[in-house]
C-alpha cells in the first residue's frame, strides 16, 4: 500500500511472491508442521488491487453517512460490512492487520454515487464509486459491489429508454427506477412496492392458516446462562403473552429487560422500555411469564423487540429443536474467533457486543403472541426484513396437509404474469470461504413444491405445478392471459422448514419483464 499500484505493480508482485514462498518453505521444511504430504496447489500471478482509483459523483458517500445510517431518498441498495481499514504497510505493519468501525446496522447507498459529476453518460459501480477513502473500506466488498452493479445497470437501461442522463434519472425518475428494481427483488431496505400495475396490492388476501404467535416449546439442549443473552422477535401493536422456559438449580432471580431497536433496519438494543426481576423456583423447565408494563410497552407499532436476559449462574435456558422466521438469538460479549492482531473490532460497538454467530438458527424456547406473520404481509410491499420479517407464515405443516394463500381480485381480470418471493433466510451467513458451511444444500424455509391455481367460473384450476424449487424469486408468465377472479398458491412441501412461508405475491395483466422497460 505504500507503493504505486500501477507503476510499481511488478515490484509489489515480486515482494508478495517472495513472502508466500518463504512461508511455504517454512511450513514444508521447518519440522514444526505435519507437512510431509502437503503440496502447494496454486499461487496467483497478479496482485489483487484493494483500492486505487475512484470517481466523483453528485454524492460522495462518507464515513458519517455510513455510521449515521443516512436514509438517502435516492437509495438503491445497502451495505452491511464494517468500515474495514488496513494499514498501508500491509504485512509489515506493526499494528493490527485491520481496524473495523461498525454502524448499528446496515447503511444505505445513494444513486448519486454511481454516476459521474462531470461526464454526462458515465455510470460506475464497484470499487470505483464516488466514496471517501474511509467509506470505501465497506463499499468495496463483492456482494455490495454486486448490488451497486444491479442499480447501475437498471439506471443505464432506463436512461437509454427515456433518452436522459443519469443525473436526470435521479432528478426526475428516481421513484420509477426504485420501483423497477424492487420488482426485480432488489435489496432496497425500507422502500415498499407501489407499482400501480400490480393487481395483488388491491386484493383481499386469505390463507389456509396463519401463525398467530411464536411458541418454541420443544427443548433440544440446555444452555447455561453464564453471560447475558438476547432474543429478538417481531411484534405489532403491543407485547402480549411473553414467556421463557428456564431451569434453576436453586431459587433465584431472573432479570429480563425489554428494549427497542431504534431504527427499523437495526437488530441491536437501543432504548430500554422496562426491567423485570422475577423469582424462579428451583426445578427443571419452568415457564416464566414476563409481565409487560402497558404504560411503557403498549402501542409500540410494528417493530422488533430485543429482550435481554441477564446472566445468572444458577439458571439455564433451553435451545429449541426448530428455528422460526423473524427470531434472532444473541450472546453478549462472545469471544471473537479471530485474533485481535489480525482484526481489531471495538468491543463496545453494539453489533460486536451482541453477537449471533454462535446461535445462528438456534433459538431459545419462548412464547409470545404476534400478528407479524399475517397473510396480508404478502402485499404489504416489503420484500426484506424491516421492523419485522414481512412474510406470511402458516401454522406447522402436518404430513399430507398443504397450505395456501390467495389473492381475491377486486374485479375479474385477464392475468398474464404472477410473481412469488419466498423466504430464503436472508440472515443466514452464506460465504464462499471454507471456514464453515451450512448443514443443508437448500435453505429449509424455501418452498419446494407448489401449484399455481386460478379461480375460473367459480372453480379453482391448476395452471402450473412447480417441483424442486430452490429459488427465492419466481416469475410465472402464462402462455396467454386468463380471465380470473383470484390467484392462489398451494404449497405442498418446503425444503425442510416446518411452516409454509411467502414473502410477496404480485399479479399483472401484461407480461412484461419490467414495469417501465
Amino acid at each position: 500500500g505504500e507503493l504505486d499500484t500501477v507503476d510499481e505493480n511488478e515490484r509489489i508482485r515480486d515482494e508478495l511472491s517472495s513472502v508466500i514462498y518463504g512461508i511455504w518453505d517454512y511450513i514444508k521444511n521447518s519440522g514444526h508442521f505435519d507437512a510431509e504430504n502437503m503440496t502447494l496447489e496454486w499461487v496467483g500471478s497478479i496482485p489483487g488491487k484493494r483500492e486505487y482509483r475512484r470517481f466523483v459523483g453528485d454524492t460522495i458517500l462518507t464515513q458519517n453517512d455510513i455510521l449515521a445510517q443516512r436514509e438517502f431518498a435516492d437509495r438503491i441498495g445497502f451495505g452491511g460490512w464494517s468500515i474495514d481499514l488496513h494499514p498501508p504497510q500491509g504485512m509489515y505493519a506493526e499494528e493490527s492487520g485491520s481496524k473495523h468501525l461498525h454502524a448499528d446496522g446496515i447503511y444505505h447507498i445513494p444513486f448519486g454515487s454511481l454516476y459521474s459529476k462531470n461526464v454526462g453518460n458515465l455510470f460506475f459501480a464497484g470499487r470505483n464509486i464516488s466514496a471517501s477513502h474511509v467509506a470505501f473500506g465497506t463499499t468495496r466488498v463483492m456482494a455490495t459491489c454486486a448490488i451497486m452493479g444491479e442499480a447501475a445497470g437498471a439506471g443505464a437501461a432506463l436512461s437509454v429508454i427515456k433518452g436522459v442522463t443519469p443525473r436526470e434519472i435521479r432528478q426526475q425518475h428516481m421513484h420509477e427506477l426504485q420501483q423497477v428494481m424492487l420488482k426485480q427483488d432488489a435489496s432496497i431496505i425500507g422502500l415498499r412496492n407501489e407499482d400501480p400495475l400490480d393487481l395483488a396490492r388491491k386484493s383481499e388476501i386469505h390463507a389456509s392458516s396463519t401463525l398467530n404467535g411464536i411458541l418454541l416449546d420443544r427443548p433440544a439442549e440446555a444452555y447455561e446462562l453464564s453471560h447475558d443473552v438476547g432474543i429478538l422477535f417481531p411484534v405489532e401493536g403491543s407485547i402480549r403473552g411473553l414467556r421463557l422456559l428456564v431451569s434453576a438449580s436453586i431459587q433465584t432471580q431472573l432479570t429480563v429487560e425489554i428494549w427497542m431497536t431504534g431504527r427499523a433496519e437495526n437488530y441491536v438494543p437501543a432504548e430500554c422500555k422496562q426491567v423485570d426481576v422475577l423469582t424462579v423456583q428451583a426445578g427443571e423447565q419452568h415457564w416464566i411469564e414476563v409481565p409487560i408494563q402497558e404504560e411503557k410497552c403498549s402501542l409500540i407499532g410494528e417493530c422488533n423487540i430485543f429482550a435481554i436476559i441477564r446472566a445468572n449462574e444458577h439458571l439455564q435456558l433451553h435451545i429449541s429443536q426448530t428455528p422460526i422466521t423473524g427470531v434472532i438469538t444473541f450472546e453478549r460479549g462472545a469471544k471473537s474467533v479471530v485474533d485481535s492482531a489480525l482484526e481489531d473490532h471495538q468491543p463496545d460497538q453494539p453489533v460486536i457486543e451482541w453477537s449471533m454467530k454462535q446461535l445462528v438458527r438456534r433459538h431459545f424456547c419462548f412464547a409470545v403472541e404476534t400478528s407479524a406473520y399475517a397473510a396480508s404481509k404478502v402485499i404489504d410491499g416489503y420484500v426484506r426484513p424491516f421492523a419485522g420479517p414481512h412474510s406470511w407464515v402458516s401454522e406447522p405443516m402436518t404430513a399430507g396437509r398443504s397450505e395456501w394463500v390467495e389473492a381475491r381480485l377486486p374485479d375479474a381480470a385477464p392475468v398474464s404474469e404472477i410473481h412469488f418471493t419466498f423466504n430464503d433466510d436472508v440472515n443466514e451467513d452464506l460465504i464462499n470461504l471454507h471456514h464453515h458451511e451450512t448443514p443443508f444444500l437448500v435453505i429449509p424455509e424455501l418452498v419446494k413444491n407448489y401449484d399455481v391455481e386460478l379461480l375460473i367460473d367459480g372453480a379453482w384450476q391448476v395452471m402450473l405445478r412447480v417441483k424442486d424449487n430452490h429459488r427465492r424469486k419466481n416469475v410465472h408468465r402464462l402462455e396467454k392471459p386468463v380471465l380470473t377472479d383470484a390467484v392462489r398458491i398451494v404449497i405442498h412441501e418446503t425444503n425442510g422448514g416446518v411452516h409454509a412461508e411467502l414473502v410477496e405475491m404480485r399479479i399483472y395483466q401484461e407480461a412484461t419483464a419490467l414495469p417501465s422497460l
Side-chain angles (χ1 to χ4, degrees):
E2 294 182 306
L3 302 179
D4 188 308
T5 60
V6 173
D7 292 339
E8 299 181 282
N9 187 62
E10 290 191 6
R11 179 183 170 190
I12 293 171
R13 180 201 61 196
D14 292 346
E15 181 70 11
L16 292 173
S17 296
S18 70
V19 171
I20 290 169
Y21 288 115
I23 292 172
W24 170 240
D25 174 66
Y26 184 75
I27 291 173
K28 189 70 174 176
N29 300 313
S30 67
H32 296 304
F33 302 92
D34 184 14
E36 182 178 350
N37 296 321
M38 287 186 180
T39 59
L40 186 60
E41 233 179 71
W42 177 85
V43 175
S45 58
I46 300 175
K49 291 177 172 58
R50 183 177 187 268
E51 179 176 10
Y52 178 58
R53 178 183 285 114
R54 290 185 304 281
F55 300 112
V56 177
D58 278 350
T59 303
I60 299 176
L61 187 67
T62 69
Q63 171 185 353
N64 291 337
D65 297 328
I66 290 166
L67 294 181
Q69 300 176 272
R70 180 179 172 186
E71 198 172 85
F72 293 96
D74 64 334
R75 62 189 183 274
I76 44 74
F78 76 93
W81 194 254
S82 61
I83 294 178
D84 176 6
L85 303 176
H86 294 207
Q89 299 84 7
M91 67 189 77
Y92 299 121
E94 295 183 1
E95 59 189 295
S96 173
S98 61
K99 294 183 182 296
H100 297 257
L101 297 173
H102 296 265
D104 288 348
I106 61 98
Y107 61 90
H108 305 278
I109 300 171
F111 186 67
S113 289
L114 304 188
Y115 64 85
S116 173
K117 182 177 182 178
N118 56 358
V119 180
N121 63 345
L122 177 61
F123 275 101
F124 28 83
R127 291 185 165 186
N128 57 0
I129 72 160
S130 178
S132 70
H133 164 73
V134 177
F136 172 81
T138 170
T139 62
R140 65 178 177 81
V141 295
M142 291 298 99
T144 307
C145 290
I147 285 174
M148 294 185 289
E150 179 183 9
L158 201 57
S159 294
V160 169
I161 288 172
K162 292 185 175 294
V164 298
T165 65
R167 178 176 289 119
E168 289 171 320
I169 289 290
R170 181 171 180 245
Q171 293 173 342
Q172 303 168 21
H173 307 285
M174 196 63 226
H175 180 264
E176 186 175 357
L177 174 61
Q178 290 169 328
Q179 290 300 310
V180 165
M181 294 185 64
L182 288 175
K183 188 175 182 181
Q184 300 176 97
D185 194 30
S187 302
I188 310 177
I189 305 301
L191 291 186
R192 67 168 76 232
N193 167 27
E194 296 177 349
D195 187 351
L197 301 179
D198 177 11
L199 302 178
R201 293 178 58 234
K202 300 176 182 179
S203 300
E204 287 186 11
I205 305 299
H206 304 277
S208 53
S209 70
T210 297
L211 192 67
N212 293 316
I214 297 168
L215 177 58
L216 298 176
D217 60 351
R218 299 172 60 195
E221 61 179 288
Y223 178 95
E224 300 292 336
L225 197 56
S226 56
H227 44 253
D228 298 346
V229 299
I231 304 174
L232 182 134
F233 57 89
V235 300
E236 293 191 7
S238 60
I239 309 170
R240 303 181 303 276
L242 179 59
R243 294 178 294 146
L244 299 169
L245 185 64
V246 302
S247 295
S249 57
I250 62 171
Q251 179 177 311
T252 187
Q253 291 184 322
L254 172 69
T255 300
V256 181
E257 301 173 7
I258 303 298
W259 289 68
M260 305 283 285
T261 63
R263 299 178 66 94
E265 60 265 53
N266 288 358
Y267 299 89
V268 292
E271 178 188 357
C272 185
K273 303 296 289 187
Q274 73 169 60
V275 179
D276 287 299
V277 180
L278 310 171
T279 299
V280 180
Q281 301 298 324
E284 295 293 318
Q285 298 187 11
H286 296 299
W287 280 102
I288 303 299
E289 183 168 357
V290 180
I292 301 301
Q293 302 171 24
E294 291 294 328
E295 68 278 9
K296 295 181 179 180
C297 296
S298 63
L299 301 176
I300 53 179
E302 185 180 57
C303 68
N304 287 313
I305 291 297
F306 198 108
I308 296 177
I309 299 97
R310 294 298 181 184
N312 184 328
E313 63 181 2
H314 303 297
L315 292 175
Q316 292 178 329
L317 299 179
H318 296 272
I319 302 290
S320 170
Q321 290 183 15
T322 57
I324 189 168
T325 295
V327 174
I328 306 176
T329 310
F330 298 83
E331 294 175 318
R332 181 171 178 264
K335 185 178 180 180
S336 173
V337 297
V338 180
D339 191 285
S340 60
L342 298 176
E343 293 186 4
D344 181 11
H345 299 264
Q346 297 178 17
D348 59 343
Q349 294 175 324
V351 295
I352 297 302
E353 181 182 12
W354 294 96
S355 172
M356 67 180 78
K357 290 184 177 180
Q358 302 304 315
L359 293 170
V360 172
R361 301 180 67 86
R362 301 176 69 219
H363 301 152
F364 297 125
C365 289
F366 80 106
V368 69
E369 297 175 32
T370 180
S371 55
Y373 305 113
S376 59
K377 298 300 179 182
V378 302
I379 60 167
D380 73 356
Y382 294 108
V383 290
R384 290 292 190 282
F386 184 70
H390 293 286
S391 177
W392 165 69
V393 179
S394 75
E395 293 179 349
M397 298 180 71
T398 56
R401 175 185 169 184
S402 299
E403 297 284 350
W404 53 262
V405 60
E406 68 184 30
R408 296 264 175 172
L409 305 179
D411 298 294
V415 170
S416 296
E417 185 173 292
I418 306 165
H419 295 214
F420 297 116
T421 304
F422 300 110
N423 175 22
D424 65 341
D425 189 7
V426 293
N427 187 59
E428 182 62 56
D429 185 13
L430 300 175
I431 193 166
N432 62 354
L433 302 179
H434 300 298
H435 56 69
H436 78 278
E437 61 182 30
T438 61
F440 39 78
L441 295 177
V442 182
I443 299 295
E445 289 76 15
L446 272 171
V447 170
K448 182 179 182 180
N449 300 328
Y450 65 92
D451 296 341
V452 181
E453 298 181 351
L454 300 185
L455 186 62
I456 303 172
D457 296 329
W460 289 104
Q461 296 189 24
V462 177
M463 306 303 294
L464 297 164
R465 294 189 188 276
V466 179
K467 300 287 187 181
D468 297 320
N469 174 62
H470 59 272
R471 296 177 181 272
R472 167 181 163 86
K473 169 96 176 186
N474 281 347
V475 177
H476 299 293
R477 297 185 177 96
L478 306 180
E479 291 183 3
K480 60 182 180 179
V482 177
L483 186 66
T484 183
D485 297 293
V487 176
R488 173 186 285 185
I489 178 173
V490 181
I491 298 170
H492 302 297
E493 187 180 358
T494 69
N495 282 283
V498 175
H499 308 268
E501 304 186 31
L502 182 66
V503 174
E504 183 180 56
M505 178 192 300
R506 291 186 181 220
I507 304 168
Y508 293 96
Q509 294 188 47
E510 299 293 332
T512 55
L514 295 173
S516 302
L517 304 187

